[in-house]
Structure formats: C-alpha cells, structure tokens
Amino acid sequence: MVRRGLLIVLSSPSGAGKSTLTKRLRNWDPSLTFSISATTRGPRPGEEDGRDYHFTDDTAFRRLVSEGQMLEHAHVFGNFYGSPKAPVEEAIESGRDVIFDIDWQGAQQIKNSALNKHVLSIFVLPPSIEELRRRLIARGQDSADVIAKRMQKSWDEISHWDGYDYVLINDDLDVTQSKLETIVSAERLRRSQQPDLVDHVRDLQSQFEEDTA
C-alpha cells in the first residue's frame, strides 16, 4: 500500500535541541527529506549553500513570497527565513516525509496551508531556563549580545507550545530521540496518510459479498 508523506514540523526555542534531534531522526531513517530553508542571513562557518540553507538576498526572497512560492516564511533576528513549496508538495505526493526545523510562526503557517492534514507538529521544551542558557553558551556560535536576545525571545517561543500535536521535554537526548521515533512511526499509519485504504476496504467488502452470495 502506498502512503502519503508527512510534514514533520519540529520547533523549540534556540538551544532546546531541535536541530540535533532533526539530525538524529534523519540518521534513524535516511529516507527522510530535510526541507532546506531559504534565508537572507549570511552563512555561518561550515555551512554550504544548497545543503544547509538556500542563501539569498532580501529582494529575491520577497519576490518568492509575492509569487506564492513559499510554504511559510518569517522574519527572525533581522533576517528572513522560509520554506520553498514545490519540493515539499512533490515529496508528499511521492510518499516521502519532509522535516521542518522552524519556529512557531512557520509552523502555524504550514498548519494553515492546504497541506495541513499531512502535518505532524512537535514542540521541544528545555528542562529549565538555566539549562537553555548553558546550551546556547556551550555551542559557541553566537556573541553574548545575540545569546541575550535569544534568551529574551525564548519565552515567546515557549508560550506557543500548546499549538502543537506533541510536546517533548528534552532533558535526556537519547530518551527524547526514542520518543520522537515512536511518534513518527505511529503517525505514518494515520488514516489520512494511507490513500489506498478506501480501495482495500471496498475490495474486502466485494470479497465478503461474493462469499455470502
């Protein structure tokens, strides 16, 4: 039986672990497709265009939005981020799951889109605010000023936790990963993801009627 793909949306405040969990989920199932976002921010050390992000400028990004080519988009910390729509639609129809590592604004836009019945949304919470701060400092990617801004924004992110299908507290990465794998495995069996079920039930009904004739 053929199934449709899922749009797996992972969100969290910066430092709660969604990027690490996304990588682990793809290692668990390499068939998962990562939705490569477009962004107007510059690349960080080690990032590559087309692999980590599609790096572009404000003018080109705004044009894609105006042409309806973005499934979702947001303005975060002075830069635009967004998910190109065409590759996502193609993946869903061919039965491939797509992972989105995005914030609550993007998640809300995707859930309000025409693809909403295929969305699986998961929010990742930190065990504490202090641990969230420690993780941001430990990863060594941002200046003290940027970390302070991320911490200020973290509560706004966390306040949208109840708009998601599932919420996980990431106090142990291995345990959280296991729970995430269980959720994805179960959601793949959701009735809306199995378009051949109706034909299969009709076939069973036909067989039943033939046996009882």
Side-chain angles (χ1 to χ4, degrees):
M1 296 180 69
V2 178
R3 72 174 180 88
R4 292 192 176 94
L6 286 169
L7 280 73
I8 305 170
V9 175
L10 280 175
S11 301
S12 76
S14 294
K18 69 178 183 298
S19 295
T20 300
L21 287 167
T22 296
K23 291 176 182 177
R24 286 190 171 211
L25 197 61
R26 294 187 71 197
N27 289 334
W28 169 68
D29 184 351
S31 72
L32 291 166
T33 301
F34 183 68
S35 176
I36 301 175
S37 298
T39 182
T40 58
R41 77 158 171 79
R44 292 171 178 161
E47 290 183 336
E48 294 182 14
D49 184 43
R51 185 194 69 183
D52 300 286
Y53 285 94
H54 296 296
F55 295 102
T56 185
D57 57 31
D58 279 27
T59 301
F61 191 98
R62 291 175 187 274
R63 183 176 66 251
L64 291 172
V65 172
S66 65
E67 293 174 352
Q69 296 185 43
M70 286 292 183
L71 184 61
E72 58 81 26
H73 67 281
H75 191 256
V76 183
F77 296 119
N79 295 294
F80 285 105
Y81 294 82
S83 303
K85 182 164 59 176
V88 175
E89 292 177 328
E90 180 183 350
I92 292 303
E93 289 306 312
S94 61
R96 290 180 288 118
D97 300 325
V98 183
I99 305 177
F100 294 82
D101 177 351
I102 56 178
D103 68 4
W104 69 269
Q105 298 175 74
Q108 194 171 62
Q109 290 178 53
I110 290 178
K111 294 191 80 169
N112 291 334
S113 74
L115 300 177
N116 66 331
K117 67 179 179 179
H118 306 300
V119 175
L120 163 60
S121 62
I122 304 164
F123 195 87
V124 181
L125 287 170
S128 69
I129 296 301
E130 185 55 38
E131 175 62 14
L132 185 66
R133 181 182 291 106
R134 187 198 68 77
R135 291 177 184 178
L136 285 173
I137 294 171
R139 69 185 189 181
Q141 293 181 344
D142 301 310
S143 66
D145 183 56
V146 171
I147 289 175
K149 289 179 180 178
R150 291 189 185 281
M151 288 302 301
Q152 289 175 0
K153 186 177 174 57
S154 64
W155 181 248
D156 180 54
E157 294 279 349
I158 291 171
S159 68
H160 295 277
W161 67 275
D162 59 351
Y164 289 73
D165 300 318
Y166 296 87
V167 179
L168 300 175
I169 300 173
N170 186 23
D171 51 0
D172 183 301
L173 194 57
D174 291 335
V175 172
T176 304
Q177 177 187 351
S178 179
K179 291 178 180 178
L180 188 57
E181 292 168 3
T182 298
I183 291 170
V184 172
S185 296
E187 288 290 324
R188 284 172 168 173
L189 301 175
R190 194 193 303 170
R191 193 174 65 190
S192 62
Q193 301 309 112
Q194 302 184 69
D196 289 349
L197 276 179
V198 172
D199 288 338
H200 182 70
V201 172
R202 287 173 178 166
D203 183 52
L204 290 176
Q205 183 179 20
S206 177
Q207 293 175 39
F208 179 79
E209 291 173 350
E210 290 174 0
D211 287 344
T212 57

